[in-house]
Amino acid sequence: MRTSRVHEGRPYPLGATWDGLGVNFALFSANATKVELCLFDERGERELERIELPEYTNEVWHG
């Protein structure tokens, strides 16, 4: 499995957003204790990487 560099990102906008340098992921959850982003190959068959979103702001996990 690969390992990506993950920064804190922003809590907005929600979803996956390309910013010209990378992708910001922001997901709302009032009850989650952690959120993992799972990346799959282009066919959606094999998991390539699992990334724990590092930050939590106002019930939004982001990275």
Side-chain angles (χ1 to χ4, degrees):
M1 248 187 227
R2 328 182 225 193
T3 348
S4 294
R5 292 179 304 176
V6 180
H7 302 282
E8 51 282 336
R10 295 179 318 237
Y12 59 88
L14 292 177
T17 307
W18 170 252
D19 68 3
L21 299 173
V23 179
N24 186 74
F25 291 93
L27 174 82
F28 172 83
S29 178
N31 299 307
T33 56
K34 80 175 183 177
V35 170
E36 293 178 326
L37 171 67
C38 300
L39 302 177
F40 289 83
D41 65 13
E42 58 278 351
R43 298 172 111 189
E45 296 174 354
R46 187 171 62 92
E47 184 178 326
L48 301 175
E49 189 171 358
R50 188 173 292 223
I51 302 166
E52 188 172 325
L53 293 183
E55 295 294 323
Y56 183 70
T57 306
N58 298 324
E59 300 184 332
V60 174
W61 291 90
H62 52 95

